[in-house]
Amino acid sequence: MFSLSVAAVTFGVIFLAELPDKTALAGLLLGTRFRASFVFAGVAAAFVVHVALAVAAGSLLSLLPHRPVQAVVGVLFLTGAVLLLRHRAADGEQVRAPRDTSFWRVAGAGFMLILAAELGDLTQIMTANLAARYDSPLSVAVGALLALWSVAAIGVLGGRALMRRVPLRLITRIAAGVMLVLAALSFREALGG
């Protein structure tokens, strides 16, 4: 069953965590060199694969006993918050651009870049955690996918303007704060039943 509140929570958590990530910067770089719609098509397709894998993993976790899973989810959220606070964007990271600027080449480059960069990434782990926490894989998938697509669109279409207005450090701290709250809620469920 679809839950709008689960989708909204998932959207917020994943959006904030992904915004300061290298993906937005890679999308921005590709978007400045190539047709934005081509880049976004490839990036969006990669995120579909990314979310499907994460939700499948999280759904498998939800089959395990509830209290131990919540304890593990709490630890993972806490770890994610720490990693976000310690994360520093890599400077000078280069994205190799395709020579051919056709739709398939540009979209393929965006797809492969995001698929490789995001496999096992913090937001994929967070999506799996959310799928394990809530018994609504569709809601988590929709929220995560919309968040990732939104960040990709921001990166491809206007990342520079956003980063001038909102400090990256503030976005990172907000995302870490949300993850700390989710960790506390998970620990409370693990201890209280």
Side-chain angles (χ1 to χ4, degrees):
M1 185 182 331
F2 184 79
S3 168
L4 188 57
S5 61
V6 170
V9 167
T10 302
F11 178 90
V13 169
I14 300 301
F15 182 85
L16 288 172
E18 188 66 21
L19 202 54
D21 197 44
K22 62 191 170 293
T23 303
L25 300 174
L28 172 65
L29 181 60
L30 286 173
T32 59
R33 292 182 175 178
F34 302 105
R35 191 170 177 177
S37 60
F38 291 5
V39 173
F40 184 77
V43 169
F47 278 133
V48 169
V49 174
H50 167 80
V51 168
L53 291 172
V55 169
S59 295
L60 290 175
L61 283 175
S62 69
L63 298 175
L64 299 173
H66 183 69
R67 290 175 108 184
V69 167
Q70 288 307 315
V72 170
V73 168
V75 168
L76 291 173
F77 275 129
L78 186 60
T79 302
V82 169
L83 289 174
L84 270 176
L85 291 172
R86 294 181 60 192
H87 175 73
R88 290 186 179 96
D91 294 326
E93 216 170 275
Q94 295 294 321
V95 176
R96 188 173 284 171
R99 291 184 182 143
D100 180 2
T101 60
S102 69
F103 171 80
W104 291 109
R105 290 289 188 164
V106 173
F111 178 87
M112 293 307 295
L113 174 69
I114 298 306
L115 193 63
E118 292 295 316
L119 199 57
D121 193 49
L122 180 62
T123 54
Q124 191 171 38
I125 294 167
M126 289 171 55
T127 301
N129 288 346
L130 290 164
R133 176 167 176 65
Y134 300 108
D135 191 25
S136 186
L138 178 62
S139 306
V140 170
V142 168
L145 196 55
L146 291 175
L148 293 167
W149 284 353
S150 297
V151 171
I154 289 168
V156 170
L157 299 174
R160 285 187 192 152
L162 176 70
M163 294 305 177
R164 279 191 218 126
R165 292 182 182 7
V166 181
L168 188 59
R169 177 175 273 154
L170 175 63
I171 294 167
T172 302
R173 287 183 178 162
I174 291 170
V178 169
M179 290 183 70
L180 287 172
V181 168
L182 288 170
L185 291 172
S186 295
F187 287 136
R188 190 183 82 198
E189 280 188 40
L191 296 174

